[in-house]
Amino acid sequence: MPALSLRRPLRRRALLGGLAALPALGGVLGGTLHAAAPERIVALGGAVTETVHALGRSGELVGIDRTSLFPPDLVRGLPQVGYVRTLAAEGVLSLNPTLILASADAGPPATLEQLERSGVRLVRLPEAVDAEGAARLIRAVGAALDRGVEGEALATALERDLAILSAAQAGHPPGPRVLFVLGIGSGPPMVGGRHTGAEGIIRLAGGRNAIDGFEGYKPLSPEAALVAAPDLILTTEQSLTQLGGPAGLLARPELAGTPAGRAGRVAAFDALYLLGFGPRTGQAARDLAKALTERNG
């Protein structure tokens, strides 16, 4: 009997100890569930949206900007908050986001400052106009989404693809001179100078930017076009439509007398695919490299 009387209190104490531990366990579980709760993500920038999708978090997107066009099945059903460079804080905040991923193009600055003051977590992402920038962007989005491992794998795959393309170009003569034309408005077409996504993708494809006298995008004069002497005119599919197709583009007085204009050498790609500098940049560079070879042969 004494032995039985000793065992019962021990069991009772063990049971009470287990029950006492439940609140602490519940706190741990509650914390875990809270950390894993879905975000409400607004992506500002086409490459940002693509990267969120590539990292498996597109189901948490609640809003995008107008430059976010890929993948089409995803973006078609999402609310848009405006053009990436001319955003209003009220439109973004109306979607009740918990995380805002802003590309380097996002703005204006006053809007971003207002979003930061709202208390919503806003991550400003690095500029991406070349291979290094594209890899940094992917890694930064991965870190912001707590998908660092996946982001590293995606960025490494991009770097590997571009390294293979670069190795294939090694030892070849300098590539063709390429003039990137962006049709905006009714005036002279805009062209891409130094430190632009246009120059970045041209270099990755093995070409040379025909414009090296200025940075950014500026209107093209007939005199500047003749000095640039492009072997190929590169544009976007959207700009080509705006400018009246290849014939309309080549009929422009700024372009008609250039080597590319006289030979009718034009290449056009989807704008986001060509200039987005996101997960598809390796394929875009390979496609452009092929186009440079074919149209310069």
Side-chain angles (χ1 to χ4, degrees):
M1 291 298 297
L4 290 175
S5 64
L6 286 172
R7 285 182 189 145
R8 286 172 183 165
L10 282 173
R11 288 176 182 171
R12 186 169 179 269
R13 283 196 297 272
L15 179 61
L16 290 173
L19 290 172
L22 285 177
L25 179 61
V28 172
L29 290 174
T32 301
L33 290 172
H34 177 74
E39 296 271 17
R40 292 182 57 84
I41 303 169
V42 172
L44 306 177
V48 178
T49 301
E50 282 194 40
T51 305
V52 172
H53 174 71
L55 294 176
R57 297 288 293 273
S58 58
E60 296 166 72
L61 284 169
V62 296
I64 55 175
D65 75 297
R66 286 210 309 265
T67 70
S68 296
L69 301 172
F70 184 88
D73 289 344
L74 168 67
V75 300
R76 195 176 294 120
L78 288 171
Q80 291 187 354
V81 295
Y83 179 60
V84 66
R85 295 179 185 271
T86 56
L87 299 165
E90 294 79 8
V92 176
L93 295 175
S94 70
L95 299 175
N96 298 314
T98 60
L99 173 62
I100 302 168
L101 299 175
S103 70
D105 292 333
T111 294
L112 296 186
E113 292 167 6
Q114 187 175 350
L115 291 172
E116 287 178 326
R117 289 195 300 270
S118 74
V120 177
R121 182 186 173 209
L122 184 145
V123 177
R124 299 187 187 223
L125 298 165
E127 182 181 47
V129 294
D130 54 23
E132 293 77 12
R136 282 195 301 270
L137 173 69
I138 290 170
R139 291 186 171 102
V141 174
L145 296 177
D146 197 24
R147 291 284 174 94
V149 173
E150 294 86 347
E152 180 63 32
L154 189 61
T156 299
L158 172 60
E159 291 169 333
R160 181 175 60 249
D161 286 348
L162 293 174
I164 292 171
L165 178 59
S166 178
Q169 297 165 352
H172 290 197
R177 293 176 61 82
V178 181
L179 176 67
F180 177 79
V181 175
L182 184 66
I184 298 178
S186 58
M190 306 289 285
V191 294
R194 299 192 312 273
H195 196 68
T196 60
E199 180 177 72
I201 198 68
I202 289 168
R203 287 184 172 180
L204 287 176
R208 294 173 291 160
N209 189 6
I211 298 292
D212 59 7
F214 57 81
E215 292 188 359
Y217 294 89
K218 292 185 178 180
L220 178 70
S221 68
E223 296 77 16
L226 291 176
V227 171
D231 302 303
L232 175 77
I233 296 171
L234 175 65
T235 187
T236 67
E237 292 171 351
Q238 293 86 340
S239 291
L240 194 62
T241 299
Q242 181 183 3
L243 293 168
L249 174 65
L250 295 176
R252 298 286 305 224
E254 303 90 353
L255 304 173
T258 65
R262 293 193 300 269
R265 289 192 290 262
V266 177
F269 294 87
D270 173 76
L272 181 57
Y273 181 62
L274 184 69
L275 303 175
F277 283 90
R280 297 184 293 161
T281 294
Q283 183 61 53
R286 289 195 298 272
D287 286 347
L288 179 55
K290 182 179 178 182
L292 298 189
T293 302
E294 292 174 346
R295 290 166 174 79
N296 200 49

